Amino acid sequence: MNVQELVTWLQERSALSLLNPEILEAIASQLEHRTVAVEQAIATEATSPEGLYILRSGHIEAQPERLRSYGLLPGSAINLQELLVNKPVRQTLVTLSECEFWFISAASFHQLVSQYPEITQAFSQKLVEEVESLSSQLIYEQERMLILQPYLVPKARRGIVGRSRYAVRLRSQIKQAAKNRESVLVFGEPGLEKDNIATLIHFGSSERRKPLIKVDCSTLQTSGFELFGRVGGKPGLIEALGEGSLMFNNVHDLPPELLPAVINLVKTKTYTPVSRAGEPTPQPKSCQAQIIIVSERVISELSSLVENLIKVPPLRVRKADLEDWVNYYISLICRAKGIEKARISPEALRRLQAYDFPNNLRELRNLVERAIIQLEGSLKITEEIIWPSQTKKKQFRLNLLNTYPGLRHFLRSPWWPDRINYGFTLTTFALIVGILFLGPQTRSENFALNLFWAWWWPIVLILFPFLGRVWCAVCPFMIYGEVTQKLSLWLFPRKLKRWPRQEAERWGGWFLFGLFGLILLWEELWDLTNTAYLSACLLLLITAGAMIFSALFERRFWCRYLCPIGGMNGMFAKLSMTELRAQQGTCSAECTTYQCYKGGPQKGEGMATDGCPLYSHPAQLEDNRDCVLCMTCLKACPHRSVEFNLRPPGIELWTTHVARSYEVALLFLLLGAVFLHHLPELQIELNLPWNLLESQPHLWLSVAALSLPVLVPLLAHLFIRGIDRIFPSFKSRSFVELAYGYLPLVLAGNLAHYLRLGLSEGGRILPVALATFGLNGEGLPILVAHPAVISFLQGTGLIFGAITAIILTQKIARQSFKFLLPQHLATVILTVCLWQVIVGY
């Protein structure tokens, strides 16, 4: 390339194009061609420049990278400014590929500058222009940063803590939102650090070097000038931000007047500056920032517009992450306080896992910080200093297994209930049935008949308020069902049928209701209470049902859905002052095998079991009817999650209870059963002309005794519905829901009836036992209560049942006493009727 061609190239390609042709020709005549290999330094920081390099071809890199006043493209003049002002090199430059340069030494260039002062003048003017431009840009940046400074978020507080599937999914959603730079809505309950998640989205994106600002929507003025700026005035946050990220925090608190403007911003990425009244509407401006919306709830107008929707799960469903969060906060707080890191005990962690954390991470941090303050030199956070607020499900509960360790030991031992069932119940039941068939046929001579009617019924009714459905744990019917199941599988190996749950839930309750009604009619018409072999037939009938269905279906299908005695037990168990439950947090955080539900081998302190016989998970139990207190879950659980709680009697009826129509039908059937058992007294009281010795009148009167008492509650509910129409403020519950208010009275009525048998005949068990085998037991002790004592206890029980029924009705309905007066009067009427037929005779 000759001198003239080189001058043309310098004019077209290089930064020297400012100079006139004469000077360019003088420079070109002294330029020499140089080739520099890869990764060679052509300029070294803080050293004197060797000369002027003009890049002809190749690639150069600045180390370290920072803003430069010249580029590194072909035609770039390297060291020009340094040579003009006699300063050392500002930045090291290294070749990335083989590069070609035009080169003039420093001495030759200085000689040219002294010969042609125009060189200095031309580039001095250019430097002044650049300085003015940089100064203007600096002033703008200072003003911009002054606007943004109160809203800037410098960094994320923390990443996503935890290893649960929720934490993994949250990380994935954050990564996706950071990748596409589209609008994002992050929503969830208070205290979940949703603003930190928004920060993670920004700093995980390609625009992480750009600013992120957080705007608290609750503090914005209705005009919105802070966001959008004023026409002819101070620019707003969106204009000052440029290409960064804009976080709308607490958008649910946004003034309603601003919502349309924010919706338009999300939808079109444009906004309109605020103008004064009378001024023309300005032209919309474009928003370059990524918009991240943070809210405690979904805003329907916005959720349909955003591209990325992230729901942050509450802490109560992320209990698997709780231990990681606790340890993180312990490390954070201990480091801030300058103390040695503490650790949390497994018992304290389980206590936290049992809590639902309504304020989520904010509350957890406060709990951990409070616990560390209370350590007083210790390094172990124990259960005693972790005291979260009780949830409604845990209020007024006392875990008896923790209070009485011996009880836990017994209930986990082989004695409960297996050794009792297979060592005692199995043979005793067979013996009793045999004596009922072969022995004398009256209660005064057959101790098995006396045991069934005068002992079993009163005892099991007394147990309901204390231990719920505990009888089902040692029930002989299902013991023989389990034996049949095991024996049939041994003889005919096969897979038992799974439960038809949907059909059983729909029709099973009505089946046991019908079966119980037939049993009551059979008992009355055939005098089962005083006929031993018929009582034996009744026991065998129920046992046969258990055995047949155990041979067909898994576990205790009969016991859960079809057994009439089990249905009664499950209904009255709702009134119990004890319950078996589990810590939901511990189960969701620690358990992965669900051995208490499905069964499995030994794990930790959890024993090998076949799983819950009723297919009930203790953490999901909300009703005592689905638990027979067999303690299989307590034995299987390796995490000590299962609790046996003392609680207010019947609390589930006004908290977590689900009303069922077949249970209400059974309830009123058992109410009618009390009147059925006193049919002769009713005949005398009502002066009925029919003869009970005749089968047909006896049958119709029995059906009437079972059916008619329900008319009183039905009539009372009609009055309540009438009140509902008159008073708009009163919202009555359905008959099925309110009917459970009669449950204490029905239990008291049945207990009052069987108390007479228990206190007048139960104490004769020893002479009756000898009489069963043809012996004379006249000299044996007899314990018989005085009739006045029996009447007092019966009357007291009925009064207590009536008062409890009224209180329970108020709890269930949650309405004023005067609105529920018809049902309370119905309770009083039924109590008087029961008193008349039970105590009055």
Side-chain angles (χ1 to χ4, degrees):
M1 184 180 293
N2 58 38
V3 173
Q4 193 57 46
E5 290 175 340
L6 186 53
V7 168
T8 304
W9 186 87
L10 291 173
Q11 287 177 329
E12 294 176 351
R13 300 286 187 91
S14 75
L16 302 180
S17 58
L18 296 173
L19 304 176
N20 59 47
E22 179 186 353
I23 299 174
L24 287 177
E25 187 174 346
I27 294 173
S29 63
Q30 297 191 37
L31 289 177
E32 61 180 73
H33 181 267
R34 279 194 180 183
T35 301
V36 180
V38 180
E39 296 183 357
Q40 297 295 315
I42 58 170
T44 305
E45 186 177 2
T47 62
S48 297
E50 180 184 0
L52 177 67
Y53 286 89
I54 301 174
L55 180 62
R56 182 178 181 185
S57 64
H59 299 284
I60 304 174
E61 178 185 52
Q63 296 181 349
E65 294 183 12
R66 59 175 180 260
L67 290 174
R68 300 178 54 84
S69 59
Y70 51 87
L72 297 176
L73 298 174
S76 298
I78 299 168
N79 295 336
L80 177 60
Q81 292 182 14
E82 290 84 344
L83 290 169
L84 286 172
V85 295
N86 292 319
K87 294 289 185 180
V89 175
R90 295 179 298 163
Q91 205 165 8
T92 301
L93 301 178
V94 179
T95 58
L96 295 179
S97 63
E98 186 178 79
C99 296
E100 293 184 358
F101 296 94
W102 296 110
F103 175 75
I104 183 172
S105 67
S108 299
F109 184 78
H110 285 308
Q111 186 177 357
L112 286 171
V113 169
S114 60
Q115 184 178 353
Y116 299 100
E118 294 91 338
I119 298 176
T120 303
Q121 293 173 0
F123 285 102
S124 295
Q125 185 178 354
K126 183 180 179 183
L127 283 173
V128 168
E129 292 174 357
E130 288 182 356
V131 168
E132 288 178 350
S133 174
L134 287 173
S135 178
S136 175
Q137 185 178 355
L138 180 60
I139 292 171
Y140 172 75
E141 286 294 326
Q142 287 175 340
E143 291 178 352
R144 174 172 172 257
M145 294 308 296
L146 192 64
I147 296 171
L148 298 179
Q149 187 61 45
Y151 305 93
L152 282 175
V153 181
K155 62 179 181 179
R157 294 193 296 276
R158 62 187 60 87
I160 301 301
V161 176
R163 293 160 289 180
S164 69
R165 66 180 185 275
Y166 297 103
V168 172
R169 185 175 63 188
L170 201 53
R171 291 189 190 97
S172 175
Q173 289 175 317
I174 291 171
K175 185 177 180 180
Q176 181 62 32
K179 184 187 299 181
N180 56 33
R181 296 285 298 168
E182 298 293 338
S183 55
V184 186
L185 173 59
V186 182
F187 68 97
E189 295 178 5
L192 286 172
E193 298 187 346
K194 300 179 289 295
D195 58 336
N196 186 63
I197 290 173
T199 307
L200 289 172
I201 293 171
H202 170 78
F203 286 105
S205 72
S206 58
E207 303 294 326
R208 66 179 67 90
R209 296 184 184 278
K210 304 286 176 59
L212 163 68
I213 62 172
K214 179 169 70 173
V215 178
D216 188 350
C217 294
S218 63
T219 65
L220 289 176
Q221 296 191 23
T222 55
S223 64
F225 75 89
E226 304 104 308
L227 281 174
F228 309 124
R230 290 190 183 277
V231 175
K234 182 180 177 182
L237 288 171
I238 298 176
E239 183 178 348
L241 176 62
E243 297 182 351
S245 295
L246 171 60
M247 183 201 312
F248 285 104
N249 197 30
N250 299 321
V251 79
H252 53 276
D253 292 330
L254 187 75
E257 297 85 352
L258 272 182
L259 185 59
V262 172
I263 291 173
N264 179 69
L265 178 66
V266 175
K267 185 176 181 179
T268 65
K269 296 297 288 286
T270 62
Y271 65 96
T272 304
V274 178
S275 59
R276 293 177 177 83
E279 293 182 351
T281 303
Q283 290 296 318
K285 293 186 177 182
S286 177
C287 172
Q288 305 298 323
Q290 181 184 24
I291 298 172
I292 306 174
I293 301 168
V294 175
S295 176
E296 290 182 3
R297 59 181 182 272
V298 173
I299 309 296
S300 56
E301 298 93 332
L302 290 172
S303 61
S304 59
L305 300 176
V306 298
E307 297 293 329
N308 303 289
L309 204 63
I310 300 178
K311 181 178 180 181
V312 186
L315 191 55
R316 65 177 175 273
V317 305
R318 296 173 56 192
K319 295 296 180 64
D321 294 334
L322 190 61
E323 184 175 5
D324 291 332
W325 274 109
V326 170
N327 288 328
Y328 172 77
Y329 282 135
I330 289 174
S331 299
L332 205 66
I333 296 165
C334 289
R335 186 165 60 247
K337 292 181 178 294
I339 60 176
E340 190 175 348
K341 183 181 176 182
R343 59 186 180 87
I344 187 167
S345 70
E347 294 78 15
L349 185 62
R350 281 197 293 270
R351 186 168 186 180
L352 288 176
Q353 288 168 341
Y355 180 52
D356 283 344
F357 290 97
N359 289 310
N360 294 292
L361 297 173
R362 185 188 307 143
E363 186 173 7
L364 176 61
R365 175 173 181 140
N366 291 339
L367 282 171
V368 174
E369 188 165 12
R370 186 171 61 203
I372 290 174
I373 292 171
Q374 296 177 86
L375 283 177
E376 296 182 351
S378 174
L379 292 177
K380 187 175 183 181
I381 300 175
T382 59
E383 188 178 8
E384 291 75 21
I385 58 175
I386 284 285
W387 37 285
S389 303
Q390 289 288 351
T391 62
K392 289 184 177 180
K393 290 184 179 180
K394 293 296 181 181
Q395 284 180 343
F396 312 114
R397 261 68 168 191
L398 174 66
N399 186 0
L400 297 174
L401 300 179
N402 290 343
T403 307
Y404 303 103
L407 178 62
R408 173 187 288 275
H409 178 74
F410 170 72
L411 294 177
R412 284 174 54 84
S413 72
W415 282 99
W416 184 262
D418 290 346
R419 287 185 182 175
I420 295 174
N421 286 336
Y422 293 101
F424 175 77
T425 306
L426 193 69
T427 54
T428 302
F429 181 73
L431 180 64
I432 287 174
V433 172
I435 293 173
L436 288 173
F437 270 115
L438 302 175
Q441 294 298 296
T442 61
R443 283 203 310 275
S444 60
E445 295 179 332
N446 191 316
F447 87 90
L449 194 61
N450 179 284
L451 198 67
F452 180 41
W453 295 105
W455 281 86
W456 184 84
W457 272 102
I459 289 174
V460 77
L461 289 169
I462 290 172
L463 282 177
F464 287 138
F466 297 97
L467 293 172
R469 206 173 166 177
V470 70
W471 165 255
C472 293
V474 293
C475 172
F477 307 140
M478 275 314 305
I479 303 308
Y480 277 88
E482 287 182 353
V483 170
T484 302
Q485 192 175 77
K486 293 174 182 177
L487 187 61
S488 67
L489 289 174
W490 179 65
L491 293 173
F492 308 101
R494 68 195 187 283
K495 188 175 181 61
L496 294 172
K497 294 183 178 180
R498 298 186 65 82
W499 290 3
R501 284 183 177 270
Q502 188 173 356
E503 293 79 4
E505 289 285 351
R506 185 176 182 183
W507 302 111
W510 293 108
F511 172 84
L512 67 86
F513 163 76
L515 186 56
F516 210 117
L518 291 175
I519 289 172
L520 289 173
L521 290 174
W522 186 24
E523 175 189 336
E524 174 63 26
L525 297 175
W526 292 75
D527 193 20
L528 262 64
T529 57
N530 205 38
T531 309
Y533 81 93
L534 289 179
S535 294
C537 289
L538 171 62
L539 296 176
L540 289 179
L541 176 68
I542 300 174
T543 306
M547 295 171 69
I548 291 169
F549 281 91
S550 295
L552 296 174
F553 294 100
E554 300 174 315
R555 307 195 188 187
R556 295 189 181 184
F557 180 74
W558 169 268
C559 190
R560 174 150 186 174
Y561 292 113
L562 304 177
C563 177
I565 304 299
M568 178 191 70
N569 293 354
M571 185 179 63
F572 284 136
K574 299 172 190 288
L575 297 173
S576 174
M577 64 175 62
T578 56
E579 65 179 10
L580 186 136
R581 299 292 188 266
Q583 300 173 9
Q584 292 182 338
T586 302
C587 293
S588 62
E590 303 287 346
C591 187
T592 56
T593 58
Y594 304 105
Q595 289 180 234
C596 61
Y597 177 76
K598 298 190 297 184
Q602 181 175 354
K603 181 182 179 183
E605 71 172 41
M607 303 176 186
T609 68
D610 294 326
C612 176
L614 296 192
Y615 271 128
S616 296
H617 194 294
Q620 298 171 347
L621 276 176
E622 294 187 341
D623 194 326
N624 275 0
R625 81 180 188 115
D626 294 329
C627 178
V628 296
L629 298 178
C630 64
M631 299 298 166
T632 300
C633 53
L634 177 64
K635 296 177 181 182
C637 180
H639 309 295
R640 295 206 169 199
S641 174
V642 178
E643 300 175 335
F644 184 52
N645 294 323
L646 189 66
R647 66 172 194 174
I651 190 173
E652 66 195 46
L653 287 168
W654 68 85
T655 53
T656 60
H657 187 251
V658 177
R660 297 173 176 87
S661 55
Y662 62 80
E663 277 188 339
V664 173
L666 180 61
L667 185 153
F668 288 117
L669 181 69
L670 289 169
L671 174 64
V674 181
F675 292 97
L676 177 66
H677 294 145
H678 292 269
L679 205 54
E681 290 87 342
L682 281 172
Q683 187 184 26
I684 296 171
E685 184 71 26
L686 299 175
N687 197 22
L688 298 176
W690 294 292
N691 184 4
L692 294 180
L693 296 178
E694 297 179 7
S695 58
Q696 190 168 358
H698 197 179
L699 173 61
W700 290 116
L701 284 173
S702 299
V703 172
L706 286 174
S707 308
L708 292 179
V710 73
L711 294 179
V712 178
L714 283 171
L715 187 61
H717 191 70
L718 287 177
F719 279 104
I720 292 175
R721 296 303 296 270
I723 295 173
D724 191 0
R725 293 189 180 94
I726 297 171
F727 298 96
S729 61
F730 171 63
K731 299 298 180 184
S732 68
R733 292 183 177 267
S734 67
F735 176 73
V736 175
E737 290 177 294
L738 288 178
Y740 284 91
Y742 296 102
L743 192 57
L745 180 62
V746 175
L747 177 60
N750 279 274
L751 180 58
H753 165 69
Y754 284 106
L755 268 180
R756 185 174 297 278
L757 284 176
L759 297 177
S760 62
E761 297 186 19
R764 301 178 185 273
I765 189 71
L766 293 179
V768 172
L770 290 180
T772 304
F773 301 102
L775 302 174
N776 187 359
E778 290 183 1
L780 294 175
I782 296 175
L783 296 175
V784 179
H786 191 277
V789 174
I790 297 174
S791 296
F792 172 78
L793 293 175
Q794 289 175 321
T796 303
L798 287 174
I799 292 172
F800 182 76
I803 294 172
T804 308
I806 292 172
I807 294 172
L808 182 59
T809 301
Q810 289 292 143
K811 286 284 190 180
I812 293 172
R814 295 186 178 91
Q815 291 288 348
S816 173
F817 185 89
K818 63 182 180 182
F819 292 135
L820 298 170
L821 194 57
Q823 178 153 335
H824 298 332
L825 289 175
T827 300
V828 173
I829 292 169
L830 289 173
T831 305
V832 171
C833 294
L834 290 170
W835 184 293
Q836 190 63 27
V837 299
I838 297 173
V839 184
Y841 287 91

